[in-house]
Amino acid sequence: MMSTMFKYLLCLSMVLSLIACHKKKTSWSSNWELPLVLDTLTLDKYINDSTLAVDASNYLEVNLTRTLLDIGIEDLVTLKDTTISQSFNIAASNFTVAPGTSITNQIEEHQINVEDLELKRIQIAKGKIHLKVYNPIETDVIFTIKLPGVKKNNVDFEQQFIAPMGTNAVPGQIETELDISDYTIDLTGAQGSSFNRIQSQMIVVTSPTGPSVTIQNSDVFKVDASFKAIKINYARGYFGQQILSDTLIERIDLFRKITGGTITTPNASVQLEVINGCKVNAQIKLTQIKSENAQGTQVNLSGGAMNQNVPINPAVGAWNNYTPSTQAIEFNSTNSNLNAYLENLGDAHTFGYLFQLNPWGNTSGGWDEIFQTSRIQLKLKAQLPLVVGVDGLQIRDTFDFSFQNKLESSHIEKGTLLIDFTNGFPYSAGFQLEFLNASDQNLFSIVSVGGIESGLAGFYNSTYGIFTQNSHVELTLTESQAQQLGEVHKIVVKGMFNSPNPANNQNQAFPIPEKAFLSMKAKAKITYQTKM
Amino acid sequence: MKYVLAFLGIISFQLSNAQGLLPNGYDTSKRVHDLQLEGSAFIGSTGIRNEIMDRFIFGGEITESMKDRSLSSKATSYRMGAGTHVELTYRNEQAALFGNDKWGYLIKAGADYLGAIRTNKSIFGMLLKGNASYLGESISLNGTQFNFIGFQKIGFGLIHKKTHANIGLNYYNISDFAQGKISSGYLTNAPNADSISLATKGNFQYSNASFFTKGFGFGMDGALYLQINEEGHSPAILQLKVSNLGFACVSQKVQHADLDIDLHFKGFNFQELLSDQSALRDKDLLLDTIGVQTSTKTSYVMLPALIEIGKIVDQMNSKRLQAFYGVRFYPTLANLPLIYGGAEYRIGKHLHLGAHASYGGFTQFSGGMYLHYEGSKFNAGIGSENIVGMIYQKGFGQSVQCKLNLRL
């Protein structure tokens, strides 16, 4: 009895002692210092890429070229898919023909559909012709199809088929598709004085080895020739008074992030350049140039050649040595409100234009020409010293953020971001971070301790040949802030920029040295609580 | 039966404040229907004190002073092991197996969880304190190794009735598996935290399958008893014991990572931080970039065999005081052979008190005690292989063992 009770007591005591153990999470804090970012910002990649250049004094200048309009022969002359048909039937019925009899040999002229254009000659860059012939009699027939004036290497297009015998109800048929790339087409017709005309010739001969057959007047011999997917690389004629108009919007994403402050841009000027590589008269009118900034403020460029028809001369020369004409339209602080336009810091720039060919009609007698490489282009060009002053310029950018930092599991307790800068730009900056929740409400903000000082406030750096200044910036995340990190959905980075003169601390415009750079070395000091 | 299973479960999962093995006594009496339940749990370390290991097992905060005490150890190579073991064995030495009167049989079921880590003080210190305390230092990763395996087994074996030697074949279900080894490597923190350099070669495998069965295996248990007669002395019983000697195939979602890293990190550049095509946004590309090749494939591993040889206590010996000694080790885990020796004193008719000292295993020196009740139908024992660690938080390891035996 005692031994049984002892057994039960022993088991019970073991079980109770085990159940009594309640596992909490193991936790400890550790301190980490880790490199985060090491990089240097320069403007090197913008130099000599049609944005920036270096002047004689080794300062940066804006040398910006942006193409706003670029059209060529494919936009001005298009040949739609066209089918020309030629047919023949005899006048009398019950006409018996012996083998090898020639039934017809006719040339016809057809009009091609090019709308208002009056084309005299074109060259096919790429395209195909689909041929199909119909034989209504009960013997094989030899079809010879010629396209007079459609030449390659000075030889007319010619194709011969033997069409199988058929009936009036079910003609014998044969078809094929041929490449006509590099053919030239004379569209002046049989007389050589017309336009948009193409000729065809159909020769029909019965088979020399076939039987004699009887032909009715209802028997129709026919050929269909379809031009498909034609691309033209040369056109001559009169291209009509075509009008091309459009409104383009060019965006500068960086400027969308500017939320305040001003810049100064002394001595600015920009050019709009029209290049005409076609041997055709034209004119252009700039209908609108508008700047709209992130706050919605709009400035329309006025003065200069705005809303005026600017004539554009044709190119001169032959296909292998033609010279495009160039027309420059300049806007500067004297002839327009360009300074106000630029200082609006627009992130959206609207360009409206109206471009017209042959504004004075067919003055060339149908001798307009467009070559394969002919382009009509509208380019925005700016060449000015990059001398920009900023006064409290605020840039704001927002980044999505997601980070699990729950107190009940491993998490960051607190941390500090330490950033060392070396600045060679003539600008200073301070930072602020805002941490937003899912409703875009600001949970907390961190303002940088210290800021980036202007390079001009430092010392001459003989390595780079510019003035540079070292700065140390710290951004500290407190324990209470770290506890809210899990609720953060977005981080807003705000920067405020100035261009202070070290002598009087007044903001003013400075040129930017070619070698200007901003190097950044950031590391994090983190206290991390591990829980497991 | 369900109560037995519940009890087994409780022991295997909650008995984490205990483990170790009571010295096996040699009992020549015939076991007709013998039911034995044994359970143990242990932790051991060469440098990490109990106050920290307790936090890992039972939870709680590891304070700076605890870290400092463990890191003040003179040991530079840190080994740590932990395990739980529970096993229920039925023995029948009356039955004539296959008509052969020499052989009885046994049936057993059990569960084991075993983990071992070998590292050095600096790595352990950096994990607990962070790298801020190790700036300007180069930390060797050479020889760092860890193993963890959890399995359940059922087995059938033969018992030689005359000598009580036994051998059995077990089927294993692998429920947990992870292992890794760094063959060579260094981690260097620049003095001002400007850079971190990592050069290492090694490999890791683990199964992240959500289901209980991640693999299977076959292995054997066995024990052989030799009687050594020495003139002028009582015969000594020498035991050679092997447990879980075999192989396992872990086939379910075993992630392999082969490391060949030579990284000198000074910070990300803006392109890496901001570009949508950055390797930072593609985990596989990032791993490949730093030299980690990942794959999913089957792992074939040895089971964590335990081999033990030593002189054991003869329960039939009339002497009140007997010595025992021996050596045991896990050949597949990061540990040293454990050498032990001690004595057992019989108090009265049924009660036995033992004490022993040992060196090796997952710790260094330790001393243990046990108390064993030996009855005609029932015997039970409880003890510890690290009695100092059981009561002293600043010790290196703990161990509790219990054994319950019913003769029906």
Side-chain angles (χ1 to χ4, degrees), chain A residues 118-122 234-239 366-369:
Chain A
E118 298 174 2
L119 298 179
K120 292 189 171 179
R121 190 179 192 83
I122 59 175
Y234 170 77
R236 191 180 77 215
Y238 170 60
F239 303 135
W367 273 89
D368 294 346
E369 282 184 293

Side-chain angles (χ1 to χ4, degrees), chain B residues 376-392:
Chain B
S376 58
K377 293 289 186 183
F378 163 82
N379 57 62
I382 188 162
S384 170
E385 290 188 346
N386 193 335
I387 199 72
V388 175
M390 291 297 293
I391 55 175
Y392 184 52

Side-chain angles (χ1 to χ4, degrees), chain A residues 127 129 164 212-213 289 308 342 350 379 401 403 472 504 511 516-517:
Chain A
I129 185 168
S212 294
V213 294
I289 300 179
Q308 294 179 14
L342 295 176
T350 305
K379 292 183 175 180
F401 181 82
F403 187 72
H472 181 77
N504 55 20
F517 66 90

Side-chain angles (χ1 to χ4, degrees), chain B residues 49 81 102 114 127 134 144 154 157 179 195 231 268 289 309 347 349 372:
Chain B
R49 294 179 188 269
K102 293 182 179 175
L114 273 169
L127 288 174
Y134 295 87
T144 296
I154 54 172
Q179 65 179 27
S195 68
E231 197 173 334
F268 299 109
T289 303
I309 184 168
I347 307 167
K349 187 179 179 183
H372 186 217

Side-chain angles (χ1 to χ4, degrees), chain A residues 265-433:
Chain A
T265 55
N267 304 322
S269 71
V270 297
Q271 284 185 335
L272 284 164
E273 187 178 80
V274 187
I275 300 165
N276 183 6
C278 302
K279 294 178 71 174
V280 56
N281 281 303
Q283 70 179 16
I284 192 167
K285 181 196 283 186
L286 300 170
T287 55
Q288 185 184 38
I289 300 179
K290 182 179 73 179
S291 158
E292 181 171 352
N293 66 21
Q295 290 74 47
T297 305
Q298 298 180 353
V299 174
N300 281 295
L301 188 64
S302 58
M306 285 300 299
N307 282 309
Q308 294 179 14
N309 285 319
V310 179
I312 301 162
N313 293 326
V316 294
W319 65 272
N320 57 350
N321 63 359
Y322 74 94
T323 303
S325 77
T326 301
Q327 182 69 48
I329 306 168
E330 180 166 326
F331 295 92
N332 55 42
S333 55
T334 305
N335 70 5
S336 69
N337 61 338
L338 181 65
N339 280 0
Y341 182 92
L342 295 176
E343 290 167 8
N344 187 48
L345 292 169
D347 65 287
H349 296 262
T350 305
F351 296 90
Y353 66 86
L354 190 149
F355 181 86
Q356 185 179 22
L357 293 180
N358 290 310
W360 306 285
N362 187 358
T363 56
S364 67
W367 273 89
D368 294 346
E369 282 184 293
I370 304 179
F371 306 115
Q372 183 176 7
T373 55
S374 295
R375 309 301 301 175
I376 296 174
Q377 294 176 315
L378 174 61
K379 292 183 175 180
L380 171 69
K381 287 192 163 186
Q383 185 167 13
L384 60 149
L386 187 57
V387 181
V388 180
V390 294
D391 187 1
L393 185 74
Q394 294 176 33
I395 295 181
R396 170 194 166 108
D397 205 356
T398 305
F399 301 92
D400 290 334
F401 181 82
S402 176
F403 187 72
Q404 294 294 323
N405 205 47
K406 295 179 180 173
L407 292 181
E408 58 270 24
S409 53
S410 296
H411 63 277
I412 291 176
E413 282 186 329
K414 59 185 178 180
T416 304
L417 187 64
L418 305 99
I419 316 171
D420 289 315
F421 292 99
T422 301
N423 185 18
F425 287 96
Y427 305 109
S428 64
F431 296 103
Q432 179 177 343
L433 304 181

